[in-house]
Each structure stands twice: as C-alpha cells, then as structure tokens.
Amino acid sequence: DYWLSLLYKKLVGTKVLQVSLVGADERKLRVYLHCTNTLHPKYREGDVTLFALNLYNVTQHLQLPNYLSSKQVDQYLLLPRGKENILSRSIELNGRVLRMVDDKMLPELIEKPLGPGSVLGLPA
C-alpha cells in the first residue's frame, strides 16, 4: 500500500476525467483517468494518468482510445514479488524490487516507456 500511495501522490493530479470500458466487467477491471500531477518534473500540463486494477484471474489487455494512440506512454506497473502473490512483503515496479536506499531516501520510481499505440497488459 505504501508504494502505491507514493506513486499515486507523485503522478495523479486532482482533476478527474471520464473513462469508459468496452467489453469488460467494470467490477473486475477498474480504470481511472486523471490529469497528471503538474508538480512532477517529467510531465507537463495536458498529460494524463490512467491507472487500473485488474481483479480478473487472468491478464487483461487494455487498448487506449484513438486520440491517445499517438502519445508516448510511460508504464508504472506494480506487482507483488515472489510466490506469495498478494501477501508478498516485497513489491516490484516494472520488474525492479522497490527498497529504501537508506533510512531516509526513497528509491527512484522509474517508468517503462511504451511505444505509441501500445496495448497495456494488466496481469492478474
């Protein structure tokens, strides 16, 4: 929960945008869209942050709408590490374990750039 909260605070702005799904059960695939936090040094006004929660038992694939298909997409995929799944004490961001650098310093939260028009894979 800590890493999700940290990532949310860094990326998500206060303005909520409308988003809809086609062909998925909205109770099992939850998708949210916000303007990106303008205080983040990498992003600028007009950028958006989409975040999703996959409650299906299988990977789901999310195709972005056409008006976003030419945009650069940065993925921040949080997954539990190891066989404990949701009970794991370690979290990975894009395949890299998140750990404090020392008692006071947070690790860098590194995005994974995806090409324009990419389909987003949301693991179970």
Side-chain angles (χ1 to χ4, degrees):
D1 287 344
Y2 174 78
W3 297 111
L4 176 61
S5 297
L6 178 66
L7 194 59
Y8 185 94
K9 184 176 180 178
K10 288 184 175 290
L11 292 176
V12 178
T14 57
K15 186 171 184 180
V16 179
L17 304 170
Q18 185 175 355
V19 65
S20 61
L21 291 173
V22 176
D25 182 344
E26 292 182 1
R27 293 170 298 170
K28 290 188 174 188
L29 185 59
R30 299 181 186 164
V31 179
Y32 307 90
L33 187 65
H34 286 244
C35 288
T36 299
N37 185 347
T38 56
L39 298 177
H40 193 290
K42 180 176 172 45
Y43 304 109
R44 62 183 193 277
E45 190 171 338
D47 289 342
V48 295
T49 298
L50 179 140
F51 55 103
L53 176 62
N54 179 12
L55 298 175
Y56 282 97
N57 290 327
V58 296
T59 297
Q60 295 295 302
H61 295 86
L62 188 62
Q63 177 69 51
L64 297 178
N66 287 337
Y67 67 89
L68 293 176
S69 65
S70 64
K71 304 290 185 187
Q72 175 64 41
V73 174
D74 290 335
Q75 175 178 279
Y76 295 84
L77 181 63
L78 289 172
L79 293 172
R81 178 171 189 190
K83 296 177 183 173
E84 297 87 19
N85 290 320
I86 196 90
L87 299 176
S88 177
R89 296 182 53 97
S90 298
I91 297 292
E92 294 180 354
L93 173 62
N94 296 326
R96 194 174 135 238
V97 177
L98 290 173
R99 289 189 183 95
M100 294 291 291
V101 175
D102 58 34
D103 290 344
K104 297 180 183 177
M105 183 176 251
L106 295 167
E108 188 176 1
L109 302 176
I110 300 172
E111 69 279 357
K112 177 183 176 184
L114 302 177
S118 294
V119 174
L120 305 177
L122 306 172

